[in-house]
Amino acid sequence: MLPQATPAPIRTAALLAAAAVLLTACGGGTTTSSAEGGDRADGFPLTLTNCGRTVTVKAPPQRAVSVDQGSTEILLSLGLADRLAGTATWSDPVMKGLEKANAGVERISENRPSSEKVLDKEPDFLSASFASTLAKGGVAPREQFEKLGVPTYISPADCVGKDNSGGGDGARTAPLTMDSVYTEVRELSQVFGVPERGDALVKKLQDRVAKATEGIDGSKASLLYWFSDSKAPYLAGCCGAPGVITRELGAKNVFDDTHDEWPQISWETVADRNPDVLVIGDLSRTMQTAESAEKKIEFLESNPVTRTMDAVKNRRYVLLSGQAMNPTIRTVEGLERVAAGLRDFGLAE
């Protein structure tokens, strides 16, 4: 789910003023990473094709800024906290196990930062989870940073098999798979000159997926994924991260007839489809109504339309972080929790 923040306007003068510093920061030619452990960064300059653009990284970044939580958590999981100059746009507490690493990284904004705040960190690399973050109306278009010599990277999960040209959160032209997330992990590890760490992280994620889905048959269960907002709720369509979870478990998403990533659907329609289980986003941000799971459940159990649904009457709720409902490494966390919930509710064998 894309953050619904309104960023500050881009100030061209500030961008140009930072150009000399940034170009210098990106001009190094070393092929040895300074990361702990002596990882070699062979193969630089490194060129990648990313979301329709050619990205060239001259040397492993030393002052990266990650402007979405999902991207930040990948970099922290790769042991790269010491090379993060800043992070922004958070919907949840940091992933368990990363608290200490995250504490040492400056959070320049809880929501999407202005381009000036990003440039103040003198970044030599910029990463994001969503195409809209590095576009007009977001922090700034990618080309604004690239003109200053700052390479940019967007999660492949937000552009491969996805149309972002319309409104809202885009629509899937092909179902998302975990391969896109694994590609992001591997490519970011290559950018930072620590490819072995990327391979190791992907292996751990793959092992967790295999364990969570071993022997499970969730074909008896219908699911609804609610990310945020009680007035005009954002509910998962067929083919984003919730689609990955649903397919892996053999279950059914009651809104698998829409390819929109997070369509806004009326509660009357939800009640008519009467899902067996409600997968509820438990967000710590306060940008919209009913962000926390507590507020969502309070709404469901008091609203005359929703309180009659089977899932509400039987309190069949599975609580997920917002990041677990986005295409990130925490999608695996979402899969594990939904699988456990279906088993607890007697809806999976």
Side-chain angles (χ1 to χ4, degrees):
M1 175 71 182
L2 307 189
Q4 304 293 316
T6 302
I10 301 164
R11 297 180 178 88
T12 305
L15 289 170
L16 294 175
V21 174
L22 292 170
L23 286 170
T24 300
C26 291
T30 180
T31 59
T32 302
S33 168
S34 64
E36 183 178 354
D39 295 290
R40 296 293 300 175
D42 299 325
F44 284 82
L46 175 69
T47 298
L48 301 171
T49 300
N50 173 246
C51 292
R53 302 178 77 92
T54 299
V55 178
T56 299
V57 182
K58 294 182 180 180
Q62 303 299 317
R63 292 191 55 80
V65 172
S66 178
V67 286
D68 282 315
Q69 180 176 350
S71 179
T72 303
E73 290 183 337
I74 290 176
L75 297 176
L76 293 176
S77 297
L78 292 171
L80 297 168
D82 61 334
R83 289 197 268 165
L84 277 171
T87 177
T89 321
W90 287 68
S91 62
D92 306 291
V94 69
M95 187 168 73
K96 288 184 179 180
L98 297 178
E99 295 89 349
K100 184 176 180 180
N102 181 61
V105 180
E106 181 181 352
R107 189 170 300 187
I108 59 178
S109 176
E110 291 295 328
N111 299 314
R112 284 180 177 168
S114 67
S115 56
E116 291 88 348
K117 283 189 175 181
V118 173
L119 290 169
D120 282 346
K121 305 313 297 178
E122 300 181 9
D124 54 5
F125 182 77
L126 197 60
S127 66
S129 299
F130 302 110
S132 62
T133 302
L134 296 181
K136 185 177 180 180
V139 177
R142 296 179 75 172
E143 51 267 25
Q144 294 281 355
F145 294 103
E146 290 164 358
K147 285 178 182 178
L148 300 176
V150 183
T152 63
Y153 182 90
I154 293 171
S155 170
D158 198 52
C159 54
V160 175
K162 188 163 183 270
D163 180 5
N164 292 308
S165 63
D169 297 298
R172 294 282 169 183
T173 57
L176 175 73
T177 70
M178 284 301 296
D179 286 342
S180 289
V181 176
Y182 300 151
T183 294
E184 180 178 8
V185 171
R186 288 193 173 105
E187 289 185 340
L188 286 173
S189 70
Q190 290 168 359
V191 164
F192 282 82
V194 290
E196 298 85 358
R197 300 186 195 181
D199 291 339
L201 179 54
V202 168
K203 180 63 165 57
K204 287 181 182 178
L205 295 171
Q206 291 172 329
D207 288 347
R208 288 172 61 190
V209 169
K211 183 177 180 180
T213 58
E214 184 178 6
I216 196 167
D217 178 7
S219 58
K220 295 179 181 179
S222 61
L223 311 175
L224 176 139
Y225 298 82
W226 178 17
F227 193 92
S228 66
D229 202 349
S230 59
K231 296 179 180 178
Y234 289 91
L235 310 175
C238 70
C239 301
V244 172
I245 296 170
T246 306
R247 288 193 306 275
E248 289 283 356
L249 300 177
K252 176 181 174 60
N253 176 354
V254 294
F255 289 110
D256 64 3
D257 53 350
T258 175
H259 286 255
D260 290 346
E261 189 87 337
W262 291 100
Q264 291 180 278
I265 299 171
S266 72
W267 287 117
E268 287 76 14
T269 302
V270 172
D272 183 60
R273 301 203 179 185
N274 198 24
D276 295 315
V277 177
L278 299 178
V279 184
I280 295 173
D282 189 13
L283 282 62
S284 60
R285 69 182 194 184
T286 57
M287 294 166 59
Q288 297 175 341
T289 59
E291 298 279 44
S292 69
E294 180 182 6
K295 291 294 185 182
K296 287 183 173 74
I297 292 171
E298 180 182 313
F299 172 85
L300 290 166
E301 296 181 353
S302 62
N303 183 276
V305 174
T306 58
R307 68 188 181 192
T308 62
M309 296 194 307
D310 289 342
V312 177
K313 289 190 291 185
N314 292 286
R315 306 197 94 238
R316 290 196 290 260
Y317 309 131
V318 176
L319 311 187
L320 298 185
S321 67
Q323 292 304 309
M325 301 172 83
N326 278 329
T328 70
I329 57 175
R330 291 177 75 172
T331 301
V332 177
E333 170 191 311
L335 173 62
E336 292 167 335
R337 292 194 179 188
V338 175
L342 294 187
R343 289 189 173 104
D344 288 345
F345 300 141
L347 293 172
E349 298 177 358

